[in-house]
Amino acid sequence: MTSVLKLENVWKTYDLGETKVNAVQGINFDIAKGEFVSIVGSSGSGKSTTLNIIGALDKPTKGKVFLDGIDIAPLDDSKLARLRGKTIGFIFQTFNLNPNLTVFENIALPMKIHEYSRIEIKKKVGDLIKLVKLDHRIDHLPRQLSGGERQRVAIARALSTEPAILLADEPTGNLDSKTGFAIMELIVDLHKQGKTIILVTHEADIANYANRQIVLMDGKVKEDKK
Amino acid sequence: MNLKIITIILIVLIAVSAFSTFVVLNPERGQKRFSDLGEAKEGKDFLVLKESLSLEEDASITEIKIALGLSENASPEEFRQVLIDNNLGGRLK
């Protein structure tokens, strides 16, 4: 199986003046293409730090991270941003849509920056809107959508540039349980279509949707179960 | 003779200093506009972004920030974060 994400003995230490905090301590795991993995942990487990490292938002103090086969350590900010934009589709708890752009424009924006042609954008956005079942909302602004609909747009946007990894950070955290269930069903469908999904959550029932769970505690991998 | 050279050097130094101060105090001018966002210069991505946000080609950074839903005083870090939030990687070419 092809590895899309590999962490080798990753440490992250924050220097707080007189004290140093090891937020992540020697983490190892390897995620293959097509896997659906949840990273679970309570507050203080190192979950957020791990998310930042996986998302190439932060570099480890020690150890190596390979994103889609590329070692991120020697990359400068600009190259790292490019790799991040190309390799990872982010889904956030708070949706983070641009309030001034329509559904179509929000989904199309990353594609424009990644130099897709107008024809490709029209076709791809059309396909994605159907995939997330929002054909009827294409010209609406985010404020005209429900929370669940906004998250569907965010998912379509995350998929727009065909990233190697879909990284979902508490994707149901701002939704009621029924809407959250529908979003998780959509994420499961995406996995069935071959997408690699990494879901970061503190909720055990949400983590259970994944086929593999990496449980973090005190900055270490406590359990890696399939 | 030496006095002349020293005077010329002083005039040049004062001119360079005055010009630098003018550029720093005027954020809408030249390189400062984009170094304000941690960018070396305005590249192609910025033009695409402006077009996507329905802004004019010569739109200022303040206008870009507002169109992205930020405040006009948003820091480079906030700008980076909104680019990540919008799945744009976090830095523009």
Side-chain angles (χ1 to χ4, degrees):
Chain A
M1 289 283 270
T2 316
S3 170
V4 288
L5 177 72
K6 191 172 187 181
L7 271 67
E8 285 181 359
N9 190 30
V10 165
W11 287 72
K12 184 70 188 179
T13 306
Y14 293 104
D15 196 342
L16 306 175
E18 287 182 6
T19 55
K20 287 186 177 179
V21 175
N22 292 318
V24 163
Q25 305 174 45
I27 282 184
N28 291 284
F29 58 77
D30 194 342
I31 295 177
K33 189 177 176 195
E35 272 199 284
F36 181 7
V37 181
S38 61
I39 295 178
V40 203
S42 54
S43 177
S45 64
K47 183 169 47 88
S48 299
T49 304
T50 306
L51 168 76
N52 286 341
I53 290 171
I54 291 172
L57 301 168
D58 206 354
K59 287 185 181 178
T61 312
K62 199 167 81 177
K64 283 195 176 284
V65 178
F66 296 91
L67 199 52
D68 211 14
I70 298 167
D71 181 1
I72 68 166
L75 302 182
D76 62 22
D77 281 356
S78 184
K79 285 181 180 154
L80 197 59
R82 213 67 195 164
L83 178 69
R84 187 190 303 127
K86 186 169 158 269
T87 314
I88 301 172
F90 286 95
I91 303 168
F92 299 96
Q93 179 176 349
T94 47
F95 325 129
N96 297 347
L97 301 177
N98 186 311
N100 305 313
L101 301 180
T102 65
V103 167
F104 183 97
E105 290 165 341
N106 263 289
I107 300 170
L109 187 56
M111 299 179 76
K112 288 182 179 174
I113 297 292
H114 283 86
E115 299 176 39
Y116 284 71
S117 71
R118 282 179 192 276
I119 296 169
E120 284 173 313
I121 290 173
K122 198 173 173 189
K123 164 88 173 58
K124 183 84 182 165
V125 175
D127 291 346
L128 287 168
I129 283 179
K130 277 186 198 141
L131 179 74
V132 298
K133 300 183 176 68
L134 283 177
D135 320 36
H136 57 301
R137 297 287 207 193
I138 194 162
D139 293 322
H140 286 65
L141 290 167
R143 65 171 176 271
Q144 298 170 306
L145 306 177
S146 68
E149 287 173 330
R150 287 181 203 184
Q151 193 59 297
R152 285 173 184 274
V153 177
I155 290 171
R157 180 182 61 183
L159 290 167
S160 66
T161 53
E162 298 175 24
I165 300 169
L166 207 55
L167 183 55
D169 180 17
E170 307 276 7
T172 62
N174 264 10
L175 303 172
D176 61 68
S177 58
K178 190 181 166 195
T179 313
F181 174 77
I183 290 295
M184 287 314 301
E185 288 293 300
L186 174 60
I187 290 175
V188 168
D189 279 347
L190 294 173
H191 170 240
K192 285 179 184 163
Q193 291 170 32
K195 307 287 180 206
T196 307
I197 297 166
I198 302 175
L199 171 71
V200 180
T201 183
H202 69 281
E203 294 180 79
D205 53 342
I206 296 295
N208 284 335
Y209 280 93
N211 303 111
R212 177 181 166 197
Q213 287 187 34
I214 296 171
V215 183
L216 298 179
M217 187 184 267
D218 300 330
K220 296 175 184 167
V221 174
K222 184 191 168 204
E223 206 175 354
D224 188 343
K225 57 184 180 187
K226 287 191 179 178
Chain B
M1 187 64 179
N2 280 346
L3 190 65
K4 252 187 183 176
I5 293 169
I6 291 168
T7 309
I8 291 168
I9 291 170
L10 276 175
I11 290 170
V12 170
L13 283 175
I14 290 166
V16 168
S17 168
F19 179 73
S20 306
T21 309
F22 174 68
V23 169
V24 169
L25 292 178
N26 187 350
E28 295 302 314
R29 272 188 70 85
Q31 296 284 311
K32 177 62 186 165
R33 298 175 62 187
F34 292 91
S35 61
D36 180 39
L37 294 178
E39 307 293 337
K41 58 183 169 50
E42 177 179 4
K44 178 184 60 59
D45 288 353
F46 274 102
L47 295 176
V48 174
L49 184 61
K50 286 179 188 176
E51 189 199 340
S52 304
L53 298 172
S54 305
L55 296 172
E56 298 293 331
E57 251 184 54
D58 61 351
S60 70
I61 282 187
T62 304
E63 288 170 281
I64 297 176
K65 285 178 180 176
I66 290 167
L68 283 169
L70 294 168
S71 76
E72 60 185 78
N73 299 320
S75 66
E77 185 49 40
E78 287 171 302
F79 188 79
R80 173 180 178 261
Q81 188 58 52
V82 84
L83 295 180
I84 292 167
D85 291 349
N86 281 275
N87 273 264
L88 302 177
R91 195 178 170 98
L92 299 176
K93 272 199 298 189

